[in-house]
Amino acid sequence: MRMDKDIKKGAEFIENSKNIMVFSGAGLSTESGIPDFRSPGGVWDRYDPSDFDFQNIISDERIRERYWQMSTEFYESMRDAKPNKAHIALKKLEDKGKLLAIVTQNIDNLHQKAGNSIERIIELHGNAFSVSCLECGKRYARDQIQERIRNGVKIPYCDDCSGILKPDTISFGQTMPEDKMTRAFICAGECDLCMVLGSSLVVYPAASVPDYALKSGAKIMIINRDKTPLDPKADIVIHESVSYALVRMIG
Ligand code: ZN
């Protein structure tokens, strides 16, 4: 079968690579029970993402209230999620000394929960498990803030300065973290194999990271249920669940 051949080829690619960059997206986490928010029935079907532009969140109190409602729904779907076999396989990849970095679009903390080193995880869209004050920078554990919301607070504010609080995730219209983008591109330039896992590569600028790996001469392996714009240029494309393929390649 074609796919078995591709999985075998993928295992050989991993065996022969020294510096692997993983680029992960929502498809990696669906098997942990976290819905892909952009799929039908997802959170974005019930809320209009363009309402939650960063400037609107800052300037309009009613939007901020709805933002916290939406964001609470997001968070509760991922709070107790556990890493799946795909995440565990990536931990094994690091244990083998082959993992350069995991560049992720996910905000669900599952790479950390699987045991990958924090310094190897580059979260381009932030992390939903902490909250920061936009005025003074004070950080809070997400659960601490969610408890206030459970107790009836509609819009939480900073204890120290009464500033606006926001989860440490990147909203529409919010600038991408420049240091993380820079690190991601450095890794893309250094890796010998780029594995795109569970990302349809449609959200920019994040999706430009695998593009850069390709241009820098890395081999490209894509494992995603759906087609991606990079498929025609990739060395291996597997349209399967990420865990199915990774367990067979890595263990
Ligand atoms: Zn503050």
Side-chain angles (χ1 to χ4, degrees), residues 133 135-138 158 160-163:
C133 172
E135 294 295 326
C136 74
K138 182 173 179 173
C158 180
D160 288 359
C161 76
S162 305

Side-chain angles (χ1 to χ4, degrees), residues 188 194 201 204 206-216 220 230 233:
C194 168
L201 298 178
Y204 277 84
S208 56
V209 174
D211 275 339
Y212 189 72
L214 173 75
K215 289 193 184 93
S216 306
I220 306 289
L230 201 57
K233 292 178 180 169

